[in-house]
Amino acid sequence: MKLTTIGALALSTALGAGTALADGAALTVFDWSGYEDQGFFGAYMEKHGTAPTYTFFGSQEEAFTKLQSGFEADLAHPCSDAVRKWVAADLLQPLDSSKLNNWNAMLAEIKDVDGIVIDGNVYMMPFEWGNTGLIYRTDKIADDQISLQLLADPAYQGKISIPDAASSAYALASLATGNAADYTKLNDEQFQQASDYLRSIHPNIRFYWSDAGQMDQAMASGELEMGWAWNQSELNLIWNETPAKMMRDVDKGIATWVCGYVHLKSSTTPVDQIYDHLNALSDAASGQYIIENWGYPHANAKAYEISDQDLITQYGFDDPKAFFEGSLFFDAVDPALEAKMLKEFERIKAGF
C-alpha cells in the first residue's frame, strides 16, 4: 500500500513538473537489487519527482571490480567491511556530516562500526543492518536438529544454498569451524579448516545464489530446505506462509553486518541532490518502512519509536547491542587473506 501511495505521488509530481522527472533520474545509484524500492526515499521523490537511476550488483566483490574497471555512479551501497578497501583504491570521497540531517540520530553502536569513519572522515552513511544466518524449513528440520554442521549431511544433497560471495561463505565456514573470532585474520590452519568445510557442503549445494529472491522461491517451493541468507529472506518466507525461520542461537553461529551509502569519486550530480537522497534514506520514516516491510533494522534510532512495537519486539530490534554481542561481525578482512578467500572459493565452486 505504501509503495502505491508513493508511486502515485511521484507520478503526479512528474506530470505536474516535467523538468523534475529528468532531475530526479539524473542521480545514479549502484546498489543491491531491491533497494530501488521507493519506500526507502519518499522525501527524495517528493522533492525531485522521480526515482534515481539504478544499476545493480550481486556481491561486493563484483561491485568493486566493476568500479575499478571504470564504471561511474554517484552513490553506491557497500557494507562496512568493504569501505576501507574502497577508500584505499581511491574510489570514495568523504561525506560532510554537517549535511547529513540525521547523522546525530544514528544509533551509537552503528556509528562506532569500523569503516563508517576512517581517519576522522565519514565515508559511509549507515542505512540498514542485520543478520546473515541459517534459514531452514521448520516442517523438514527440527529446532534441536538444526546446525551449521547439518549443511554437510549427505541427506541434504541438492537441498541447500549459500551466497555466491567469498566473504559470506568464509564467515559461514569460520563459524562452523569455531574460528569466528579470527574471521578477519585466519591463519593457514584455520583457513584450511574453513576451506575444507566449504568443500564438504559443496555436493549439497543446489546453487550459489546472487539474488536472494532466487533462494526464497526455491525454499518456498520445497526445492531447498536450508539456506545461508539475510533477515529479509526469513520474513519473505513467513509472509508467504512458508514454515521457515532463521537459527539465531549465537552459540550455533550467526553473523551481523552494517551496510550504507558512499559517495563515489566518479559522481557528477550536484552535491545538494546527493544529500537530498542520503537524507531521505536516513530519515526515520525510511527506517519505519524498512523495519515494517523488509524486516531489517535501520540506522536511525528514531525509527524504532514510530514503528510497530510488536514487530520491534518480535524481530529483537529492541536491544541493538544483543545483535552485535556473540555473533560474527563482518569487519574488513586482511587484504592478503581476502585474496586467498576469493581464489579458493572459485576453486571450491568449480569442484576442486
Side-chain angles (χ1 to χ4, degrees):
M1 291 297 290
K2 295 178 183 178
L3 268 176
T4 303
T5 302
I6 293 170
L9 174 62
L11 180 59
S12 63
T13 306
L15 291 173
T19 56
L21 182 63
D23 178 46
L27 178 68
T28 56
V29 184
F30 193 30
D31 215 325
W32 307 88
S33 177
Y35 284 87
E36 72 278 19
D37 186 333
Q38 295 174 14
F40 294 152
F41 45 86
Y44 181 89
M45 296 292 296
E46 291 179 18
K47 184 171 184 177
H48 292 279
T50 193
T53 299
Y54 280 81
T55 303
F56 303 110
F57 57 82
S59 70
Q60 294 189 125
E61 293 89 348
E62 176 193 341
F64 180 75
T65 300
K66 191 167 183 176
L67 289 168
Q68 278 205 309
S69 299
F71 178 78
E72 297 182 351
D74 294 307
L75 296 171
H77 187 184
C79 296
S80 62
D81 59 315
V83 177
R84 284 190 177 274
K85 179 178 177 179
W86 289 27
V87 170
D90 201 31
L91 295 173
L92 307 183
Q93 53 184 303
L95 294 170
D96 184 348
S97 60
S98 70
K99 294 182 178 179
L100 294 172
N101 296 343
N102 303 300
W103 181 249
N104 291 333
M106 297 291 105
L107 288 163
E109 294 88 353
I110 301 298
K111 290 171 73 173
D112 289 341
V113 169
D114 182 65
I116 306 295
V117 179
I118 300 175
D119 298 331
N121 293 312
V122 177
Y123 277 101
M124 187 175 89
M125 186 208 72
F127 177 57
E128 88 282 34
W129 53 287
N131 294 124
T132 302
L134 185 58
I135 298 174
Y136 61 102
R137 288 282 302 244
T138 55
D139 57 336
K140 303 290 185 181
I141 303 169
D143 290 349
D144 60 359
Q145 181 188 8
I146 192 66
S147 71
L148 300 183
Q149 289 69 35
L150 194 64
L151 290 169
D153 189 325
Y156 296 95
Q157 185 173 0
K159 296 181 180 180
I160 73 170
S161 183
I162 69 171
D164 189 6
S167 59
S168 189
Y170 273 92
L172 163 64
S174 296
L175 284 162
T177 55
N179 296 315
D182 297 320
Y183 162 68
T184 62
K185 55 183 187 306
L186 297 173
N187 60 35
D188 289 345
E189 181 181 0
Q190 292 170 323
F191 180 78
Q192 188 60 53
Q193 290 172 352
S195 299
D196 288 346
Y197 171 80
L198 292 175
R199 285 190 170 86
S200 73
I201 70 173
H202 176 74
N204 291 350
I205 290 180
R206 193 167 191 87
F207 55 81
Y208 292 89
W209 65 262
S210 56
D211 180 346
Q214 177 190 17
M215 196 214 73
D216 298 351
Q217 291 173 8
M219 187 164 284
S221 70
E223 184 181 350
L224 296 177
E225 295 184 12
M226 289 182 282
W228 184 245
W230 307 320
N231 306 61
Q232 184 200 2
S233 290
E234 177 190 26
L235 294 180
N236 282 345
L237 291 164
I238 292 172
W239 289 336
N240 284 287
E241 300 183 347
T242 301
K245 67 179 180 181
M246 180 181 287
M247 181 184 76
R248 285 194 166 83
D249 187 336
V250 294
D251 294 327
K252 289 186 174 184
I254 192 169
T256 302
W257 45 263
V258 173
C259 300
Y261 286 86
V262 295
H263 194 186
L264 296 170
K265 281 197 169 181
S266 61
S267 175
T268 58
T269 298
V271 169
D272 287 348
Q273 189 169 342
I274 297 290
Y275 284 91
D276 284 344
H277 194 58
L278 293 175
N279 289 328
L281 288 163
S282 58
D283 189 72
S286 172
Q288 179 184 14
Y289 183 85
I290 196 171
I291 289 169
E292 295 181 354
N293 293 276
W294 279 54
Y296 285 149
H298 192 260
N300 190 326
K302 294 180 180 179
Y304 302 86
E305 300 171 7
I306 61 174
S307 297
D308 184 318
Q309 294 304 300
D310 289 338
L311 290 179
I312 294 292
T313 302
Q314 179 183 341
Y315 299 159
F317 300 164
D318 51 342
D319 186 8
K321 289 184 179 180
F323 264 77
F324 291 89
E325 294 175 356
S327 67
L328 179 151
F329 191 82
F330 280 101
D331 274 329
V333 175
D334 175 80
L337 175 60
E338 182 185 27
K340 284 179 63 177
M341 288 178 175
L342 289 167
K343 183 177 180 180
E344 194 67 8
F345 188 51
E346 291 303 314
R347 286 174 46 80
I348 292 168
K349 290 191 297 178
F352 295 104

